Amino acid sequence: MVTEKYKGKVVLITGASRGIGKAIANRFIKQGAFVIGTATTEVAARKITTDLTADNASGTGLVLDIADKSSIEIFDNNLKAFKAPDILVNNAGITRDNLLMRMQDADWEEVINTNLTGMYRVTKLCLRAMIKTRYGRIINISSVTGLSGNSGQCNYAAAKAGMIGFTRSLAREVGSRGITVNAVAPGFIETDMTHELTSAVRDAVLTQIALGRLGRPEEIATVVDFLAADEASYITGQTISVNGGMYMG
Ligand code: NAP
């Protein structure tokens, strides 16, 4: 059943084809929002449209590669067919893990360009309309790695910590316009991203998690929903950790 909590609101979620982004899209669609979910391919974008429009809900999938300026321009044009997003979830992200001594320039550049610059580009694209309507919710999906650091993830940690600095700065810039900007820092969550880990790394990670298990994408979506809701109107510039007690800084 679809409720009316977000009726009339447009929610843009980058990287909604899988994992955490898909769970966030499902959460908003069930609460009456019009959801625009992005994927990097036409096939995946069409699948998002099919999923979102089941059960009389309304939404669409659009193609977007946040690492590619020309893709962002095309996306911006396609976005004009819809009401401007009231809520933006910058979720799309990648990893290219390696110890710094072995890291290739391309691994560094791809992760920074996607995770950090991509977020900057998409946010800029949505901000003007939010300022005009004097309402907006921007939620950036950072990572526990951006807070605690993680061996083998200098590129990813730099991008994810950068997202937190961006979140705090933008919160100060646009707070007076009724726009809140927050980050969510997930711990290890069961998605394609963590399925890539070897069982040895996975076991080592588990020993560090107070709750003794990986998180579920839905457990991140719950917190995104909380930050997007009217009840969270006095929360901005914050980073909410959702990590099962893996890091308590
Ligand atoms: P995932 O399952 O690997 O899915 C990644 C999503 O990002 C996909 O929808 C993918 O689209 C999209 N994406 C990748 N590169 C993109 C690009 N250049 N432009 C646009 N979209 C792109 O990842 P996830 O685990 O759900 O992670 C989602 C977010 O949470 C990421 O920012 C990640 O860093 C963060 N996070 C995850 C964990 C975790 O343990 N899983 C922990 C902390 C933070 P396609 O399907 O089209 O490739």
Side-chain angles (χ1 to χ4, degrees):
M1 205 190 83
V2 177
T3 67
E4 300 205 333
K5 180 174 171 186
Y6 290 106
K7 192 165 178 236
K9 293 276 190 285
V10 174
V11 186
L12 169 58
I13 303 155
T14 63
S17 54
R18 302 183 270 135
I20 293 171
K22 186 173 182 175
I24 295 169
N26 285 339
R27 178 115 194 159
F28 279 108
I29 206 87
K30 283 188 185 135
Q31 298 182 89
F34 183 89
V35 174
I36 302 171
T38 79
T40 56
T41 64
E42 280 286 355
V43 175
R46 270 200 299 273
K47 171 87 169 54
I48 292 176
T49 305
T50 309
D51 291 350
L52 291 181
T53 50
D55 300 329
N56 285 331
S58 55
T60 192
L62 288 180
V63 173
L64 171 65
D65 178 351
I66 59 169
D68 177 358
K69 230 175 156 182
S70 61
S71 172
I72 302 243
E73 281 165 16
I74 295 166
F75 174 75
D76 189 17
N77 243 342
N78 292 336
L79 207 54
K80 292 194 172 82
F82 308 95
K83 178 179 167 274
D86 306 283
I87 299 165
L88 165 64
V89 185
N90 281 305
N91 166 76
I94 57 166
T95 50
R96 296 286 180 269
D97 298 351
N98 219 332
L99 296 173
L100 189 67
M101 285 304 290
R102 294 190 197 136
M103 189 172 287
Q104 303 297 309
D105 285 357
D107 298 331
W108 175 266
E109 282 156 13
E110 230 181 302
V111 167
I112 299 295
N113 192 32
T114 306
N115 297 4
L116 190 57
T117 312
M119 171 203 60
Y120 152 80
R121 289 190 180 122
V122 178
T123 304
K124 231 174 146 185
L125 190 145
C126 296
L127 200 58
R128 192 180 299 276
M130 288 182 180
I131 288 173
K132 226 169 159 184
T133 56
R134 301 185 78 82
Y135 176 87
R137 293 277 190 272
I138 299 173
I139 299 154
N140 299 320
I141 308 300
S142 176
S143 170
V144 64
T145 295
L147 297 168
S148 65
N150 191 23
S151 170
Q153 291 198 307
C154 283
N155 51 358
Y156 184 77
K160 292 297 182 183
M163 290 177 84
I164 292 171
F166 176 97
T167 298
R168 292 173 175 165
S169 300
L170 186 60
R172 289 186 186 277
E173 283 185 25
V174 298
S176 64
R177 310 300 181 100
I179 302 168
T180 67
V181 190
N182 290 290
V184 175
F188 277 67
I189 310 299
E190 292 276 9
T191 69
D192 292 349
M193 193 174 269
T194 44
H195 291 159
E196 285 171 11
L197 301 174
T198 63
S199 55
V201 172
R202 207 181 159 89
D203 290 348
V205 165
L206 281 175
T207 64
Q208 291 169 37
I209 302 174
L211 292 177
R213 64 170 177 86
L214 267 60
R216 291 183 292 272
E218 294 73 21
E219 291 171 315
I220 305 304
T222 312
V223 177
V224 172
D225 177 10
F226 166 71
L227 289 170
D230 287 344
E231 288 80 357
S233 54
Y234 202 54
I235 301 175
T236 196
Q238 305 303 311
T239 300
I240 314 288
S241 286
V242 188
N243 62 28
M246 182 181 177
Y247 176 75
M248 306 183 188

